[in-house]
Amino acid sequence: MATFLKYEKPLLTAMIQCSTPDECIAKIKASLKDGADALGIQLCRLKKEFRTLEELKRIFEACEGRPIYVTSYRHAESEGYTDDDCANLLLLALDAGATLLDVIGDMFGPAPYYQLSDSEDAVNRQKELIEEIHKRGGEVLISSHVSKSISVEECVMIAKAQAERGADVIKIVCPSESEKEIPKYISAIQEILDITDKKLLFLVSGSGDLLRYIGPSLGVCMYLCVESHGPMDTAAQPVLKKLKQVRDNIKINGYPKI
């Protein structure tokens, strides 16, 4: 059974940002050829006319049984969507065969700084959505894309809140203005893993993006990468072929045997 929660080595998850199913399928096939273990389909990039059960199933079938991570953010082709619309798209993807659903940390209550709602109503609605996803057999990632560099204590606060809401995978994305912040974010990874048994996806953009390459050697659960960089792809995500060489030659939990 496809899952993001059990694996022998951190997963190489190839992110797919395309506007049509055919483009998605072509990029998925190229990613599998380059060694992807899992696929990440960013549904917010898919044009609205293709957001049907049939088209999503067609896209997901191209993943050949690999675990599928899906996002439904508010931007791009989802500009103007309500958070209910974003949540319904996640549930549609789950019905189509997605594995791991990304519930943004400020869903139902936008909070730009930490992307983590603190209103009781928003938190309760997130919990209800997460409960529904779990009931249907899905896995849940809660994501917080932080707008500014934050402290270790703030990272831990976000992780605790996500875990309490029912996340199977904690996702925190932090900006970095200097390589000097790398040790701080390494400490954040270690402290979060000390306080929770949840999986952790901790990413850094900017000058600290080295952690996108070495994070899994510190306990981060997966790599987010791209088959190649096109107009829609996230520049900070490393190229899959290059990242695979790093993953397969760095010692992580005794793998590979050196």
Side-chain angles (χ1 to χ4, degrees):
M1 180 178 174
T3 179
F4 281 86
L5 306 182
K6 294 180 182 179
Y7 45 83
E8 292 184 2
K9 47 192 174 181
L11 298 170
L12 291 162
T13 302
M15 302 304 292
I16 309 297
Q17 299 191 63
C18 298
S19 58
T20 69
D22 287 344
E23 290 172 315
C24 287
I25 290 167
K27 194 143 191 170
I28 288 166
K29 289 181 177 178
S31 299
L32 293 176
K33 184 177 179 181
D34 285 350
D37 301 310
L39 286 306
I41 318 296
Q42 299 206 227
L43 298 176
C44 30
R45 292 291 189 179
L46 188 65
K47 289 185 180 294
K48 291 184 177 71
E49 60 261 37
F50 300 118
R51 297 176 182 185
T52 66
L53 185 63
E54 292 75 21
E55 290 292 359
L56 292 182
K57 282 183 175 180
R58 187 162 75 90
I59 293 169
F60 296 167
E61 282 170 3
C63 297
E64 299 181 2
R66 298 332 192 267
I68 301 167
Y69 161 47
V70 293
T71 70
S72 179
Y73 298 152
R74 302 178 180 110
H75 63 259
E77 294 293 329
S78 292
E79 190 76 37
Y81 262 32
T82 66
D83 283 1
D84 284 301
D85 293 331
C86 292
N88 287 334
L89 182 56
L90 287 176
L91 293 174
L92 181 66
L94 181 59
D95 289 341
T99 310
L100 178 69
L101 278 59
D102 188 325
V103 176
I104 53 175
D106 67 346
M107 186 169 272
F108 309 122
Y113 185 82
Y114 290 127
Q115 201 177 44
L116 186 73
S117 300
D118 59 5
S119 79
E120 183 177 355
D121 178 65
V123 171
N124 286 338
R125 292 186 68 190
Q126 287 178 24
K127 288 181 176 179
E128 289 171 3
L129 174 61
I130 290 165
E131 183 179 356
E132 179 64 22
I133 293 168
H134 283 149
K135 188 186 300 182
R136 296 193 193 186
E139 299 169 356
V140 175
L141 174 151
I142 299 181
S143 62
S144 292
H145 298 75
V146 181
S147 63
K148 293 184 180 180
S149 176
I150 59 175
S151 67
V152 172
E153 292 74 21
E154 289 171 300
C155 291
V156 171
M157 177 275 293
I158 293 169
K160 285 181 176 178
Q162 291 186 8
E164 195 276 332
R165 294 175 197 190
D168 301 301
V169 181
I170 293 163
K171 179 182 177 182
I172 302 173
V173 184
C174 294
S176 174
E177 297 179 2
S178 166
E179 291 179 354
K180 292 180 180 179
E181 292 191 271
I182 292 174
K184 173 184 69 175
Y185 287 134
I186 289 175
S187 294
I189 290 169
Q190 293 170 331
E191 291 206 22
I192 291 169
L193 292 174
D194 281 345
I195 63 162
T196 181
D197 60 354
K198 308 293 185 181
K199 301 298 183 185
L200 173 63
L201 175 56
F202 194 102
L203 303 170
V204 178
S205 299
S207 299
D209 62 1
L210 173 66
L211 282 173
R212 290 178 179 264
Y213 292 85
I214 67 170
S217 67
L218 305 168
V220 172
C221 65
M222 69 176 109
Y223 303 88
L224 297 191
C225 51
V226 292
E227 177 268 329
S228 59
H229 284 116
M232 291 187 184
D233 295 295
T234 301
Q237 290 171 352
V239 173
L240 170 57
K241 272 187 176 180
K242 295 179 180 179
L243 197 57
K244 189 176 189 303
Q245 292 297 313
V246 175
R247 196 278 305 270
D248 290 351
N249 289 282
I250 193 169
K251 192 168 185 179
I252 303 173
N253 297 326
Y255 172 90
K257 301 297 182 184
I258 298 175

